Amino acid sequence: MRLTSTSLIALTLAATLLGACARRTDIPMSSLGDDDDAICRGTGAAVGSPEYSSCRKDRDVQRSNSIQRADRAQRNLGEYMLNNPNRP
């Protein structure tokens, strides 16, 4: 079965739209393995207390550091591949 030009255009458009939805900066809710709210409540801190706010801030910092490490590793790999094209 041959694809007609309209179905090929529609397929390309669908692939482009789906690709635009997936961004590297999107962070899943449980990127560290658990729900931040459940972890901070599990320490006994009440919602709105200074301890709870500090716990949530610490979790945000951990997530940010993790994302920065992953981005740096990806960038380093890309630079290595550009500078060493003959090595596997």
Side-chain angles (χ1 to χ4, degrees):
M1 174 186 257
R2 293 178 15 160
L3 292 175
T4 62
S5 62
T6 55
S7 59
L8 186 60
I9 291 172
L11 183 62
T12 304
L13 180 63
T16 304
L17 291 175
L18 287 175
C21 292
R23 293 181 301 178
R24 175 138 173 85
T25 58
D26 288 342
I27 304 167
M29 178 66 110
S30 60
S31 66
L32 294 177
D34 293 314
D35 183 25
D36 291 344
D37 183 55
I39 289 173
C40 293
R41 285 185 184 205
T43 62
V47 175
S49 69
E51 294 84 13
Y52 181 83
S53 297
S54 176
C55 177
R56 291 297 298 257
K57 183 183 266 188
D58 290 343
R59 298 287 294 174
D60 288 342
V61 168
Q62 289 174 357
R63 180 177 298 109
S64 176
N65 290 342
S66 175
I67 291 169
Q68 287 176 358
R69 278 192 307 272
D71 287 344
R72 189 177 325 114
Q74 184 69 32
R75 195 170 43 250
N76 290 343
L77 178 62
E79 288 178 9
Y80 174 80
M81 291 171 68
L82 284 172
N83 294 329
N84 302 294
N86 296 329
R87 295 184 184 171

